[in-house]
Amino acid sequence: MLTAAVSRVWSGVAQKPASRVLVASCNLSKDATFEIKKCDLYRLEEGPPDTTVLTREDGLKYYRMMQTIRRMELRADQLYKQKFIRGFCHLCDGQEACCVGLEAGINPTDHVITSYRAHGLCYTRGLSVRSILAELTGRKGGCAKGKGGSMHMYAKNFYGGNGIVGAQGPLGAGIALACKYKGENEVCLTLYGDGAANQGQIAEAYNMAALWKLPCVFICENNLYGMGTSAERAAASTDYYKRGNFIPGLRVDGMDVLCVREATRFAADYCRSEKGPIVMELLTYRYHGHSMSDPGVSYRTRQEIQSVRSKSDPIMLLKNRMVDSKLATIEEFKEIDVEVRKEIDDAVHFATTDPEPALEELGHHIYCDNPPFEVRGTSQWIKFKSLP
């Protein structure tokens, strides 16, 4: 069965377009077939298809989700500059096709673990914009009760948000081991960036997953820069999809939500057929710097960023495809944009007015079932009781 959280997000997105009365449905197509960029393959005789069918319903759903993630990240930028958000904050605007396409290619019962650039995946995995932004501002209504922040958010079958570079690689292999042990035909998507791809623990995870034929899709989100260092300056080989050596791989256009969807379906089916792990490289781009402390223009030019925006923006590409193929109208997209802005405004209001967690809750939920114990407070005379 669909998990309640994921059902709420995906079904909610799907139902909203049906309520519109301004569209003359008889003049619009129900679906269309598109050519998509062929994937580069490694140790694979065949890969994902180079054509795919997009229904009007799915297209509007993907557009709304990507637009929501984009607007959410832009407002997070504002909240950070206004000092409502403190500490680390890594935004994923520009990479929306990755998180939306990945979710479209798997089942809600499958598993996902990622790095600290996690806000978009949090949303596609079922968390509300309210709970995400409230977590960023450290409020009680946040998805981790205001205690996790940007890098530590979780949902059903979503394991974060991990602050240590590359640490999610072995964890993802472990989740895949649990999938195989339970025998419920589930897979785990394990995401990391091009900067983390050079970590030894990623190679160790590859080895274990291959030895035990674990249903793990290792996904390198290659946004071309690891912090402020270009991939060419940091990696002897930038063919990240070949890094598995003994593990098959494919390189995918990560700016096209349909390419990502079809590649994810292919990779998940590969793992479900008990062939073992597979490596997938998503070629993508982030518009913001590495984090909010990085202006993002000291190691790349503004012209480069603008060029990607104007030629390869994932939201623009989907919108143009759907309009050109008569799957939707410009007016529909404008209406979605208005609704998304309203949703984001409401979430921002909640995230800035909801109370912070009480100091007495500092030690709560450290362990799930151990007897309560005392936690030292901010001075040696203050102690808090831990509750399971």
Side-chain angles (χ1 to χ4, degrees):
M1 290 183 65
L2 296 178
T3 62
V6 176
S7 298
R8 183 177 65 254
V9 170
W10 281 89
S11 61
V13 168
Q15 290 167 6
K16 286 183 179 178
S19 66
R20 297 189 180 87
V21 294
L22 53 83
V23 179
S25 301
C26 58
N27 296 326
L28 295 173
S29 304
K30 291 184 177 180
D31 57 56
T33 300
F34 296 101
E35 291 185 358
I36 54 177
K37 187 176 180 181
K38 195 170 183 179
C39 297
D40 296 321
L41 305 179
Y42 174 68
R43 296 177 67 98
L44 290 168
E45 294 184 3
E46 60 181 51
D50 53 12
T51 62
T52 186
V53 174
L54 175 67
T55 65
R56 167 180 155 77
E57 180 182 6
D58 282 346
L60 291 173
K61 178 168 61 179
Y62 300 158
Y63 178 85
R64 180 183 290 271
M65 297 196 79
M66 288 197 291
Q67 191 68 276
T68 299
I69 295 168
R70 174 73 56 85
R71 293 289 172 184
M72 178 178 70
E73 295 293 66
L74 293 179
R75 292 304 294 271
D77 171 280
Q78 293 178 6
L79 290 170
Y80 192 94
K81 291 171 179 174
Q82 293 168 346
K83 298 187 178 181
F84 282 107
I85 298 174
R86 303 292 186 121
F88 294 104
C89 184
H90 304 81
L91 305 180
C92 70
D93 50 314
Q95 301 183 197
E96 295 88 355
C98 294
C99 40
V100 174
L102 289 170
E103 186 64 38
I106 59 174
N107 302 322
T109 51
D110 289 322
H111 308 264
V112 179
I113 186 169
T114 189
S115 67
Y116 38 72
R117 200 177 307 281
H119 305 162
L121 283 167
C122 288
Y123 179 69
T124 58
R125 282 270 87 183
L127 294 178
S128 67
V129 179
R130 269 188 164 214
S131 69
I132 295 170
L133 290 181
E135 188 58 38
L136 291 177
T137 57
R139 308 305 173 109
K140 286 178 63 177
C143 57
K145 301 186 184 299
K147 300 176 184 178
S150 175
M151 299 194 293
H152 304 288
M153 294 189 272
Y154 310 93
K156 180 68 174 177
N157 297 331
F158 178 66
Y159 307 84
N162 289 267
I164 305 300
V165 176
Q168 69 275 18
L171 294 175
I175 296 167
L177 174 61
C179 292
K180 182 171 183 178
Y181 184 82
K182 291 166 66 178
E184 295 178 357
N185 206 26
E186 297 168 355
V187 302
C188 179
L189 306 188
T190 301
L191 286 83
Y192 53 93
D194 51 285
N198 298 320
Q199 290 259 328
Q201 56 189 328
I202 298 294
E204 293 178 55
Y206 285 167
N207 185 61
M208 295 285 264
L211 275 174
W212 296 340
K213 292 190 179 300
L214 302 181
C216 188
V217 184
F218 291 102
I219 301 171
C220 177
E221 287 185 293
N222 179 9
N223 59 26
L224 309 184
Y225 297 94
M227 296 186 70
T229 305
S230 66
E232 288 78 10
R233 293 181 59 213
S237 171
T238 57
D239 290 333
Y240 297 105
Y241 70 111
K242 297 180 180 179
R243 287 288 189 91
N245 190 13
F246 36 76
I247 301 175
L250 62 160
R251 181 160 57 194
V252 185
D253 181 357
M255 302 299 276
D256 183 349
V257 67
L258 300 184
C259 277
V260 177
R261 182 187 70 176
E262 294 307 312
T264 305
R265 287 174 176 172
F266 173 87
D269 288 345
Y270 180 94
C271 290
R272 292 189 215 279
S273 62
E274 300 183 355
K275 295 178 181 177
I278 191 170
V279 177
M280 187 161 73
E281 176 186 351
L282 300 179
L283 283 173
T284 185
Y285 198 83
R286 54 171 166 80
Y287 295 154
H288 267 84
H290 171 73
S291 69
M292 283 302 298
S293 61
D294 168 23
V297 290
S298 60
Y299 49 87
R300 58 183 185 176
T301 63
R302 296 183 188 276
Q303 289 75 17
E304 176 186 307
I305 301 169
Q306 185 55 41
S307 176
V308 175
R309 281 183 179 274
S310 61
K311 297 176 183 177
S312 304
D313 184 77
I315 299 175
M316 176 192 72
L317 291 177
L318 178 63
K319 179 179 178 180
N320 291 346
R321 265 180 172 160
M322 293 186 67
V323 171
D324 292 344
S325 60
K326 300 189 184 304
L327 283 177
T329 65
I330 293 293
E331 289 73 22
E332 278 187 284
F333 290 120
K334 289 180 179 178
E335 186 178 345
I336 292 175
D337 293 346
V338 170
E339 292 172 357
V340 167
R341 287 193 187 97
K342 185 177 179 181
E343 179 185 1
I344 301 299
D345 288 344
D346 172 74
V348 169
H349 177 74
F350 176 75
T352 54
T353 57
D354 191 50
E356 295 180 353
L359 191 60
E360 295 75 28
E361 297 180 18
L362 184 66
H364 289 195
H365 310 118
I366 295 176
Y367 295 103
C368 65
D369 56 4
N370 286 30
F373 62 95
E374 290 186 338
V375 180
R376 190 183 68 184
T378 52
S379 77
Q380 59 181 328
W381 298 284
I382 299 175
K383 293 186 178 180
F384 297 105
K385 291 287 188 179
S386 172
L387 299 178

